[in-house]
Amino acid sequence: MITLEQCENTKHDAKIAFQWRNDARTIESSEVRRPKSWDSFWLEFSECYFDALCPVFVKDGGSFAGFIRFDAAGEGTLEIVINIAPEFRGMGIGTEALALVKNYARDNGFSRLAADIRATNKASLAAFRKAGYAVEGTRTQIIQRTKEKCSIVRVFCLL
């Protein structure tokens, strides 16, 4: 059974998310396609990840299977970033977690979820669609740190 568990602003919880953030497939799907250092990740995690809504771990039974963080995007919109642990990918866990997040966000006063996904990240796009998210649009974006030009698909879900 898939459940969500609130994350704590501790190094222990950050280290769980950090190991998945630096997985090769995660890096390939990330906005900035570079691994993060622990110091940089810890600073971002502790200073930024708890602003809009407490991030959550995705759990499959008693096992940590993923991590979801949120950013406020104004007008009742919450941006979502999801990362499923490598050993749990391809099992439908991401889709289930994205569906569960709808209640979590609504219960905390948000009316809309949104995510920006690289157009090449077919697995993530499929998971969001299966969870009831719709495509809002596509844009070309230049990643400032790397000067890379990429196609971004914006998906959303009304709560």
Side-chain angles (χ1 to χ4, degrees), residues 32-134:
V32 178
R33 290 179 164 173
R34 293 183 180 165
K36 290 195 177 203
S37 70
W38 164 249
D39 289 339
S40 171
F41 183 83
W42 169 240
L43 182 63
E44 182 181 353
F45 181 92
S46 63
E47 301 282 328
C48 303
Y49 279 22
F50 294 81
D51 289 346
L53 185 61
C54 185
V56 294
F57 283 115
V58 178
K59 295 190 82 176
D60 181 16
S63 300
F64 288 103
F67 179 77
I68 302 174
R69 70 177 177 91
F70 310 96
D71 292 310
E75 313 245 343
T77 299
L78 192 62
E79 289 194 14
I80 180 173
V81 177
I82 183 170
N83 189 343
I84 299 299
E87 63 271 23
F88 288 95
R89 292 180 186 149
M91 300 168 61
I93 291 171
T95 299
E96 284 189 58
L98 289 169
L100 288 174
V101 161
K102 292 176 188 179
N103 291 332
Y104 180 58
R106 185 178 28 249
D107 292 348
N108 282 280
F110 292 91
S111 58
R112 185 176 186 269
L113 291 170
D116 289 336
I117 306 165
R118 280 184 179 262
T120 56
N121 187 349
K122 302 299 184 198
S124 206
L125 286 169
F128 274 93
R129 283 187 180 125
K130 286 178 189 171
Y133 293 68

